[in-house]
């Protein structure tokens, strides 16, 4: 159930996004509360950082949202077809992945977003801890129910990496690269990680959860000493604080467009973009799988999303899951 406050914000947001006002009378009828209760709510919203214009005989409209994540601030002016119509926002969670699984099992719709200001037990790949301090970055999980085969799901990780790289590329002076399969680097340091998890039967995906972590406003001191040479954030790279809500909206809009294209056209375009951003393509690398370690040349990615590497013996191998390091 939506609270009266959220209903009020939604009514205001709907009109304000078209630069229109909504009168106190209409609000009080729609919300079934008195005019003075509306007035009290408006004052509360202003205290929370909303800038609201009130003009007599016209009504109210929102001029600016507070710099704080919420379902409303993310939805403000978003206009997507299917992504982020349902947003679950929490101040603090163990992991948005965990919450997304619960929501998905509970029937959450395709395109539902789970997002938090802070994760106390952020999950990285291979069960690693993912640093996700309060308000410093974007910690979100997207629930998808695509009509694809289970073996195709890792392609969505690569697709997501291209989306994040392209969005970050729009920031002046930022040149992102994608480190196979799921890290985004700036100046060789990790700015973002992607964790894809899915629930599937033999030939049917029930749901996929794309976990996205982006370091936005951290200073280096936010990280333990041993990580400081390996990580970065937009703030560290640009030396300025960045608007998280805008970045989230850009990712959501781009994700919707690129995901629809991927379902329509398949993986080839993703491969091309991925290789434009690919980190150290054509260089020697070391590959560690569960049963062997070997070195070879990184050739790029295959038509199905596997990593392509040439053994020193000349044999070309497709790698689906491995730890990769460069010399
Ligand atoms: C990695 O770099 O190994 C993947 C990191 C993925 C982190 C994101 S943050 C949002 C979502 N919730 C989590 O607990 N993990 C993912």
């Amino acid at each position: 159930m939506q609270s009266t406050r959220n209903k009020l914000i939604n009514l205001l947001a709907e009109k304000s996004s078209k630069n229109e006002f909504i009168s106190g009378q209409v609000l009080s009828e729609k919300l079934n509360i008195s005019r003075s209760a509306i007035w009290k709510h408006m004052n509360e919203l202003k205290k929370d950082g909303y800038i609201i214009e009130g003009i007599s005989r016209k009504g109210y409209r929102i001029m600016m949202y507070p710099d704080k994540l919420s379902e409303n601030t993310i939805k403000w002016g978003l206009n997507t077809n299917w992504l982020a119509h349902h947003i679950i926002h929490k101040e603090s969670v163990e992991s948005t992945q965990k919450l997304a699984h619960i929501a998905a099992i509970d029937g959450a719709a395709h395109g539902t977003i789970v997002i938090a200001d802070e994760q106390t037990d952020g999950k990285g790949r291979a069960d690693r801890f993912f640093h996700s301090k309060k308000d410093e970055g974007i910690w979100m999980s997207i629930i998808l129910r695509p009509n694809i085969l289970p073996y195709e799901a890792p392609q969505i990780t690569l697709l997501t990496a291209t989306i994040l790289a392209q969005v970050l590329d729009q920031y002046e002076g930022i040149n992102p690269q994608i480190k196979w399969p799921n890290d985004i680097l700036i100046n060789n340091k990790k700015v973002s990680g992607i964790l894809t998890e899915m629930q599937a039967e033999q030939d049917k995906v029930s749901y996929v959860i794309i976990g996205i972590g982006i370091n936005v406003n951290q200073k280096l001191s936010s990280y333990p000493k041993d990580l400081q040479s390996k990580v970065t954030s937009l703030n560290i790279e640009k030396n300025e604080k960045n608007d998280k809500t805008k970045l989230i909206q850009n990712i959501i809009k781009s994700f919707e467009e690129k995901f629809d294209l991927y379902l329509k056209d398949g993986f080839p375009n993703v491969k091309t973009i991925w290789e434009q951003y690919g980190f150290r393509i054509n260089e020697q690398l070391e590959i560690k799988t569960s049963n062997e370690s070997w070195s070879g040349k990184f050739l790029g990615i295959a038509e199905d999303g596997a990593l392509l590497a040439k053994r020193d013996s000349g044999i070309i191998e497709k790698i689906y899951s491995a730890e990769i390091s460069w010399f």
Side-chain angles (χ1 to χ4, degrees):
M1 264 291 273
Q2 267 193 329
S3 65
T4 305
R5 176 191 163 103
N6 273 347
K7 283 188 203 153
L8 171 66
I9 295 170
N10 283 341
L11 289 167
L12 280 166
E14 204 187 309
K15 286 284 181 186
S16 311
S17 63
K18 295 183 239 154
N19 261 338
E20 290 170 13
F21 289 83
I22 185 160
S23 73
Q25 183 61 37
V26 172
L27 285 172
S28 103
E29 279 163 19
K30 292 210 171 192
L31 297 171
N32 207 11
I33 55 175
S34 68
R35 296 284 294 269
S36 78
I38 298 277
W39 189 78
K40 274 189 201 144
H41 272 294
M42 290 296 174
N43 282 341
E44 288 301 313
L45 289 179
K46 285 179 193 163
K47 267 195 229 148
D48 286 351
Y50 285 80
I51 299 187
I52 293 174
E53 187 180 21
I55 296 190
S56 64
R57 281 199 289 276
K58 277 184 152 179
Y60 301 95
R61 68 173 171 174
I62 300 176
M63 303 296 288
M64 216 153 69
Y65 272 85
D67 179 21
K68 214 172 164 306
L69 288 191
S70 72
E71 187 185 336
N72 290 307
T73 53
I74 296 170
K75 280 190 178 168
W76 172 246
L78 194 60
N79 288 331
T80 46
N81 294 319
W82 55 268
L83 186 55
H85 281 196
H86 183 208
I87 296 177
I88 302 169
H89 168 255
K90 301 278 176 202
E91 277 178 18
S92 181
V93 288
E94 272 179 40
S95 155
T96 58
Q97 288 297 100
K98 231 178 170 174
L99 199 56
H101 277 286
I102 295 170
I105 291 163
D106 224 31
H110 175 65
T112 298
I113 301 244
V114 180
I115 188 159
D117 298 340
E118 164 189 60
Q119 298 187 116
T120 54
D121 195 16
K123 257 169 86 174
R125 222 170 122 232
D127 261 336
R128 291 191 192 104
F129 179 73
F130 188 81
H131 290 265
S132 349
K133 283 196 192 161
K134 190 165 173 57
D135 295 333
E136 293 193 341
I138 295 171
W139 328 123
M140 76 173 176
S141 301
I142 305 176
I143 300 172
L144 300 170
R145 298 188 185 275
N147 192 5
I148 58 169
L149 293 165
Y151 82 88
E152 293 169 313
Q155 295 178 358
I156 305 180
T157 309
L158 302 170
L159 167 70
T160 305
T162 62
I163 292 166
L164 298 183
Q166 285 182 309
V167 169
L168 292 173
D169 207 358
Q170 288 161 9
Y171 284 73
E172 214 185 303
I174 297 292
N175 296 308
Q177 289 194 292
I178 307 171
K179 184 174 168 215
W180 190 86
N182 66 340
D183 287 349
I184 310 292
L185 310 181
I186 302 175
N187 289 327
N188 298 347
K189 294 177 180 178
K190 178 162 168 169
V191 70
S192 169
I194 301 158
L195 178 66
T196 304
E197 296 177 308
M198 80 169 154
Q199 182 67 39
E201 288 150 33
Q202 193 121 33
D203 55 356
K204 192 179 177 307
V205 169
S206 162
Y207 63 82
V208 177
I209 295 176
I210 309 290
I212 297 174
I214 308 178
N215 304 332
V216 183
N217 284 325
Q218 290 91 339
K219 293 279 182 202
L220 220 40
S221 55
S222 182
Y223 293 99
K225 279 258 164 341
D226 59 320
L227 268 189
Q228 291 185 359
S229 60
K230 300 186 184 123
V231 290
T232 192
S233 73
L234 274 183
N235 191 353
I236 295 167
E237 295 298 321
K238 288 176 63 67
N239 207 14
E240 67 186 20
K241 264 196 99 184
N242 292 273
D243 181 341
K244 277 195 301 161
T245 312
K246 208 171 241 140
L247 179 52
I248 293 165
Q249 288 190 330
N250 287 341
I251 292 167
I252 290 173
K253 283 185 210 161
S254 179
F255 195 99
E256 179 176 275
E257 184 196 330
K258 306 273 164 51
F259 191 76
D260 284 345
L261 273 180
Y262 162 72
L263 290 184
K264 187 163 124 314
D265 299 339
F267 191 69
N269 289 340
V270 179
K271 167 180 155 64
T272 309
I273 300 170
W274 196 98
E275 288 179 340
Q276 282 163 12
Y277 287 99
F279 178 68
R280 296 203 172 162
I281 292 183
N282 288 325
E283 292 187 26
Q284 280 295 114
L285 81 179
E286 168 115 9
I287 295 172
K288 210 184 269 174
T289 61
S290 48
N291 48 14
E292 63 169 339
S293 282
W294 53 279
S295 68
K297 188 174 175 185
F298 179 23
L299 300 178
I301 53 172
E303 295 300 328
D304 61 356
L307 179 145
L308 281 180
K310 189 154 104 185
R311 286 193 187 252
D312 295 337
S313 64
I315 293 171
I316 295 175
E317 301 257 11
K318 274 183 168 186
I319 315 288
Y320 290 91
S321 167
E323 285 296 324
I324 307 291
S325 51
W326 279 264
F327 294 101

